[in-house]
Amino acid sequence: MKPIYEDHIYLGEFGIGIFLGISFFGILINNIFRNFIFKTPNQHLIINLPYFFTVSKNIFSRLRTKNEMGAWIMTSDVIGKEKDKETLASLKFKAELKLLPIVLKAVRDVTCKYGLDEASVRDLELATEEACHNVIEHAYEPGEDGYYKVKIHREPTCFRITVRDQGIPFNLQRLNEEEPTDIGVRLMRACTDEIRSKYLGKRGKVVELIKNFPFESVNNLEKSTTKIKSSSVDLAPPSEKVTLRLMSSNETVSLARLIYRVYGYTYPHEDIYYPEKFASLIKSGLVTSCVAVNEQDEIVGHLGVFRETPEDHVGESALAAVDPRYRGRGLFPKMKKMMMEEITSKGMLGLYSRAVTVHEASQKSNVKMGAKETGFVLAHSPPTTIFKKMKTETANIRRTVALFYVPVVPNRKQTVFLPYSHKKAINKIYKHAQLPRVVKKANPGDVKLNSHSHIYSHVLPEMASAFLRVNEYGVDFIDELRLQVQDLCQRKIELIVLDLPLKDPSTAILCPEIENLKFFFCGIMPEYLDGDSIRLQYLNNVAFDPESVDVYSDFAQEIFNYVVGEWQEHYQNNSIKNISNKQVPMK
């Protein structure tokens, strides 16, 4: 018989009998002493026997099963606390905004280490941020030294975060409304599986955020087409004034709320859902943002310009969002014009953007702003991205984007070396975009490779995508690229985008070898690598249907057909749906 092992007690049948016998005689002796020696009134054996049987019943209820040696197992909750609940962390903080990142880091680190998946960790972190932010902003009067407690509990089926304070009471019923009007409550609802709240009398109030472990539903086992129907939304009064200005780093929470209203939690770049992280990008200069604000100083529109490195001469126009209540006012063109003026003052050369192809609206807006189509990245975005309050109908496939470029200063003339197989197509794009270029033929004898290659890699796990750019070619380039592709594929990366400098003659010489690794042409990126780059892409077992793409202009259709033809040529032996007899006139 084992005495105690971890959280169980092991008892043989003989041991159980001895235990109960000793208990019975203990009660009997106790009764004799109390009734006959100490003369304690009203203490009779008949009163203690029910107690004995109650104890016996509780003991047998704990004898769950026998172990492999035939001993009964009694769980340790007979002698101690059950272990189906654990408090992993208990923290107390002063109600100051500057301490909030510490709370969120604790939530992330603890839940990650105890088995919660990345998406659920992100949701729970954002819900906790909203709950704590509400305490910091509203629970205490200005100048009052207030504190709040955060506890992280792990239970058999979920994590539970409790946020407790002793500040000013507020209406907790808001958390239980079927259709909450408060955007913060909607954020917490969207990020959790359950929210509970209660008053604790003189001990204040508590909010509980519950996130279940991700058990797959039977409904999710079947692939189905997602259909998002348009829903009615009350438009803001036309007389309400909307002002455009540059965004400051302390407005990132308000921006996150706008993104939620437009995209929910489906926007591919997750940095936007981490206000502190996005604020650091603004402070570093890697992000410059224009916002549209209403009369209540609420952000109702946003457009950002992103740079991967401070040395980049062009930036990406991205994170375009307009609150559904303010659509139809032409805010996007106004914001883009303002951003073009802003980056011109910073000495940048141009803007590129990726327009969705589930509809033509954003492509049309880019064309009207003077942007030119320079390519298409097939299967670029995960199928999870949605546009709230907008009618879209998509299958469960990754979505294609159209590449656009618009200069903000007069185009500079530069020399490029074009791969022979794509020379006609690239020249047509240059002509369409009115980019003056001097095209030279690459001579293999003039190519000098360094001892080692330098390939910059930016991996976005939430998009299952990786973006590579070649800064230097080395003698090991093809081998290095092959190893990187193998590694990324093993990490379940579905899309690999590769940018090669066209000012380097090595690009024209090595391009055929690169395409032998199943990379294929998808466009050019003007001024992207201190000069133009040719953009290639690689798809890792990704389905693609050309019929799912809506193209706005005739020239864009010509580029799209050419890119699809390249994809078909490189992946024609894969079990992927092929394009149906489309012409590729750019070849």
Side-chain angles (χ1 to χ4, degrees):
M1 179 185 71
K2 295 181 181 179
I4 297 179
Y5 176 74
E6 291 185 351
D7 62 339
H8 296 90
I9 297 175
Y10 293 81
L11 300 174
E13 283 87 343
F14 182 70
I16 296 169
I18 292 176
F19 180 80
L20 295 179
I22 292 173
S23 299
F24 178 80
F25 283 108
I27 292 173
L28 179 62
I29 291 170
N30 175 67
N31 192 64
I32 292 171
F33 269 81
R34 301 188 71 162
N35 281 280
F36 299 105
I37 297 178
F38 296 107
K39 306 295 183 182
T40 306
N42 300 322
Q43 299 293 326
H44 302 289
L45 184 60
I46 193 69
I47 298 177
N48 288 307
L49 283 175
Y51 171 74
F52 167 73
F53 288 119
T54 300
V55 172
S56 302
K57 180 181 178 182
N58 288 338
I59 290 173
F60 278 109
S61 70
R62 305 295 185 182
L63 301 177
R64 311 288 187 186
T65 185
K66 290 184 177 182
N67 68 1
E68 67 279 1
M69 306 211 34
W72 289 93
I73 302 173
M74 181 170 70
T75 55
S76 62
D77 52 4
V78 174
I79 60 172
K81 187 178 179 180
E82 291 184 354
K83 289 196 175 182
D84 61 348
K85 293 182 181 180
E86 283 185 283
T87 299
L88 302 177
S90 181
L91 311 166
K92 183 177 180 180
F93 286 89
K94 192 172 183 179
E96 293 183 350
L97 200 58
K98 61 184 178 182
L99 298 177
L100 185 53
I102 302 175
V103 179
L104 302 182
K105 187 177 188 303
V107 170
R108 165 167 282 274
D109 289 349
V110 170
T111 53
C112 273
K113 289 185 183 297
Y114 279 82
L116 204 59
D117 66 282
E118 179 63 24
S120 298
V121 168
R122 183 173 66 246
D123 286 347
L124 198 51
E125 186 181 10
L126 190 57
T128 304
E129 179 178 19
E130 186 62 34
C132 295
H133 193 273
N134 194 53
V135 171
I136 294 168
E137 290 293 318
H138 305 295
Y140 299 98
E141 296 289 350
E144 182 181 2
D145 286 334
Y147 293 83
Y148 66 101
K149 292 183 178 179
V150 177
K151 288 188 177 182
I152 307 172
H153 308 270
R154 185 179 187 272
E155 299 180 14
T157 62
C158 67
F159 273 94
R160 183 188 307 269
I161 307 289
T162 62
V163 181
R164 196 181 90 184
D165 71 273
Q166 289 182 284
I168 300 169
F170 66 91
N171 185 11
L172 293 178
Q173 293 304 313
R174 291 185 308 147
L175 300 177
N176 302 318
E177 294 174 352
E178 289 188 9
E179 295 292 335
T181 56
D182 188 296
I183 185 64
V185 175
R186 289 165 59 190
L187 277 168
M188 288 190 287
R189 284 269 192 91
C191 290
T192 59
D193 295 297
E194 187 179 359
I195 300 176
R196 297 177 185 173
S197 59
K198 58 183 175 180
Y199 299 104
L200 304 174
K202 292 183 179 180
R203 292 183 295 136
K205 56 188 179 294
V206 65
V207 172
E208 296 181 348
L209 308 168
I210 300 165
K211 188 71 176 177
N212 295 333
F213 289 117
F215 298 108
E216 188 172 20
S217 168
V218 175
N219 294 332
N220 293 334
L221 298 179
E222 296 183 9
K223 293 183 179 179
S224 61
T225 299
T226 301
K227 184 181 291 185
I228 304 169
K229 296 182 179 179
S230 60
S231 55
S232 59
V233 59
D234 294 330
L235 296 177
S239 58
E240 184 177 4
K241 186 179 179 181
V242 176
T243 306
L244 268 59
R245 59 173 171 78
L246 292 179
M247 178 183 169
S248 64
S249 59
N250 62 358
E251 295 180 296
T252 51
V253 173
S254 182
L255 173 60
R257 294 179 175 183
L258 168 67
I259 299 305
Y260 170 77
R261 288 194 292 269
V262 177
Y263 296 97
Y265 287 100
T266 68
Y267 194 78
H269 295 285
E270 65 173 328
D271 286 354
I272 188 60
Y273 299 113
Y274 294 93
E276 293 291 331
K277 186 175 183 180
F278 198 75
S280 68
L281 293 175
I282 294 176
K283 291 176 182 177
S284 69
L286 293 177
V287 175
T288 304
S289 289
C290 166
V291 291
V293 295
N294 61 14
E295 294 177 357
Q296 291 74 44
D297 210 32
E298 177 187 17
I299 294 179
V300 297
H302 175 270
L303 180 66
V305 172
F306 296 71
R307 287 189 289 176
E308 288 189 29
T309 70
E311 294 77 27
D312 286 353
H313 294 300
V314 295
E316 179 186 10
S317 172
L319 203 57
V322 175
D323 189 304
R325 298 169 297 169
Y326 293 83
R327 287 181 181 150
R329 297 191 180 208
L331 291 180
F332 174 72
K334 294 176 182 176
M335 291 189 293
K336 189 146 191 175
K337 182 179 179 181
M338 179 177 178
M339 290 311 301
M340 290 171 65
E341 294 172 353
E342 177 65 21
I343 67 168
T344 301
S345 68
K346 292 178 179 289
M348 296 175 67
L349 302 176
L351 279 177
Y352 73 92
S353 58
R354 294 175 281 192
V356 297
T357 59
V358 293
H359 55 75
E360 298 179 6
S362 56
Q363 298 174 58
K364 184 177 180 180
S365 295
N366 274 281
V367 171
K368 284 188 174 181
M369 291 298 298
K372 303 295 185 180
E373 304 93 331
T374 63
F376 284 83
V377 180
L378 309 185
H380 174 277
S381 304
T384 51
T385 309
I386 63 170
F387 296 88
K388 300 177 75 173
K389 311 295 183 184
M390 187 179 290
K391 185 178 180 181
T392 60
E393 187 173 324
T394 62
N396 189 28
I397 60 173
R398 294 178 66 98
R399 296 168 182 169
T400 295
V401 296
L403 301 175
F404 283 86
Y405 176 75
V406 58
V408 296
V409 295
N411 288 309
R412 59 176 183 170
K413 186 178 292 187
Q414 58 179 280
T415 300
V416 292
F417 297 87
L418 305 183
Y420 178 77
S421 58
H422 305 300
K423 186 175 180 180
K424 279 188 177 181
I426 296 175
N427 275 325
K428 283 192 175 184
I429 295 173
Y430 278 147
K431 183 178 180 180
H432 174 73
Q434 299 176 346
L435 297 173
R437 298 294 184 260
V438 177
V439 179
K440 286 190 176 182
K441 183 179 179 180
N443 185 352
D446 296 335
V447 173
K448 295 181 180 180
L449 300 178
N450 297 316
S451 57
H452 295 289
S453 303
H454 181 200
I455 305 175
Y456 172 81
S457 174
H458 184 201
V459 181
L460 297 173
E462 68 276 9
M463 292 182 64
S465 304
F467 296 85
L468 312 179
R469 55 163 74 174
V470 176
N471 294 326
E472 290 181 358
Y473 287 104
V475 293
D476 62 345
F477 174 74
I478 296 297
D479 290 335
E480 176 66 24
L481 180 60
R482 183 184 290 109
L483 288 173
Q484 288 214 27
V485 170
Q486 290 175 354
D487 176 65
L488 291 169
C489 289
Q490 288 175 358
R491 292 163 62 183
K492 308 299 183 185
I493 296 299
E494 297 177 343
L495 167 72
I496 304 173
V497 172
L498 176 65
D499 284 293
L500 311 170
L502 286 174
K503 69 177 183 180
D504 190 330
S506 301
T507 293
I509 302 300
L510 292 173
C511 195
E513 283 192 74
I514 297 170
E515 291 186 282
N516 284 338
L517 299 179
K518 299 192 76 172
F519 281 91
F520 63 94
F521 175 86
C522 64
I524 65 167
M525 299 288 286
E527 304 289 2
Y528 189 62
L529 298 179
D530 191 25
D532 300 347
S533 76
I534 180 175
R535 174 159 284 192
L536 307 179
Q537 70 173 105
Y538 177 101
L539 294 177
N540 178 22
N541 295 318
V542 175
F544 170 65
D545 180 8
E547 300 301 327
S548 67
V549 176
D550 285 336
V551 179
Y552 172 64
S553 71
D554 292 339
F555 183 78
Q557 187 66 60
E558 191 176 353
I559 301 177
F560 179 68
N561 290 347
Y562 181 80
V563 173
V564 169
E566 290 296 305
W567 161 77
Q568 187 178 19
E569 181 178 331
H570 286 77
Y571 290 82
Q572 60 184 352
N573 295 324
N574 288 11
S575 55
I576 303 175
K577 183 176 180 180
N578 288 326
I579 187 171
S580 55
N581 299 322
K582 287 200 174 182
Q583 299 298 316
V584 285
M586 297 185 79
K587 251 186 173 178

